[in-house]
Amino acid sequence: MVVPLGAGDGIVEPQVPVPAVVREEHSTWWWVLFAFLLCLVPLQIFAAYIFAAMYTSIAAYVIWYMVRDNCKEMSPYCLMLVGLMCSIQFIFDTAILLTMVGGRKEQHMERTHYDQAAGEAEYKIKVSTHSFFDESMGPIYNMQSLTRLLSPFIWLIAAILSYKSYAAFEQDFMQGFNEAGPFAGGAGARLGGAGYGGV
């Protein structure tokens, strides 16, 4: 995760203007995604997926940080890294989900015989398969299945939204660059606050 930090003394961090489409349209979907992540965290905690809940909480915080104050802290760099993180998590969660769709398998191992004189033991491994949702397995089992089902879709939405907002930044910059001309200071000012063409 990447959390934007303030620049050091004497260093001015370049600020890229946030496109209007991001502030007026995408921001609504970012807040919806933030709400989804907040709802996913307690489900993961109840399902005993503690590390997944921590990861989701960090992602929710970063999204809140970017979208607050009318997306003031959002930048193409953060969007690119957040999108990459969400895409990777989507791939992992989807792979896990595909292994469970046909039924969740559980293994139980028990010792059936032990020869103390020979120092040998025999174990029996029992593999049982249950449906993805099974009332007889209890609430935690079913909550785990629910979170496994929801998680990939939420990360996919996050990845797509990151790409859309990043593309809006790029399109907005290219439009300003074409309007100002390659040797004018206006396009450079959009990226770093100073024109490349000026002295």
Side-chain angles (χ1 to χ4, degrees), residues 63-120:
I63 290 174
W64 169 84
Y65 186 91
M66 290 195 305
V67 183
R68 65 176 186 149
D69 294 337
N70 205 20
C71 302
K72 183 180 67 174
E73 303 295 338
M74 186 174 290
S75 70
Y77 313 105
C78 288
L79 287 171
M80 179 178 62
L81 294 176
V82 168
L84 179 62
M85 173 205 71
C86 295
S87 299
I88 294 175
Q89 190 64 32
F90 164 72
I91 293 173
F92 285 157
D93 284 358
T94 301
I96 296 175
L97 177 62
L98 291 177
T99 63
M100 296 181 174
V101 170
R104 294 177 55 181
K105 296 182 179 180
E106 295 185 352
Q107 293 184 355
H108 300 278
M109 183 175 64
E110 61 180 18
R111 189 170 64 182
T112 59
H113 174 72
Y114 177 68
D115 188 344
Q116 186 174 4
E120 297 177 351

Side-chain angles (χ1 to χ4, degrees), residues 155-169:
W155 292 120
L156 177 61
I157 294 173
I160 293 175
L161 190 54
S162 298
Y163 171 77
K164 291 288 187 181
S165 296
Y166 180 87
F169 270 92

Side-chain angles (χ1 to χ4, degrees), residues 102-176:
R104 294 177 55 181
K105 296 182 179 180
E106 295 185 352
Q107 293 184 355
H108 300 278
M109 183 175 64
E110 61 180 18
R111 189 170 64 182
T112 59
H113 174 72
Y114 177 68
D115 188 344
Q116 186 174 4
E120 297 177 351
E122 295 180 359
Y123 292 87
K124 180 178 67 175
I125 299 177
K126 180 181 178 182
V127 180
S128 57
T129 302
H130 302 275
S131 59
F132 192 70
F133 289 102
D134 190 342
E135 294 183 1
S136 64
M137 295 300 295
I140 295 181
Y141 175 93
N142 290 282
M143 187 61 67
Q144 289 175 345
S145 298
L146 179 61
T147 56
R148 288 299 185 189
L149 185 64
L150 295 177
S151 183
F153 291 101
I154 294 177
W155 292 120
L156 177 61
I157 294 173
I160 293 175
L161 190 54
S162 298
Y163 171 77
K164 291 288 187 181
S165 296
Y166 180 87
F169 270 92
E170 186 176 3
Q171 182 179 2
D172 190 65
F173 166 71
M174 292 305 298
Q175 182 179 357

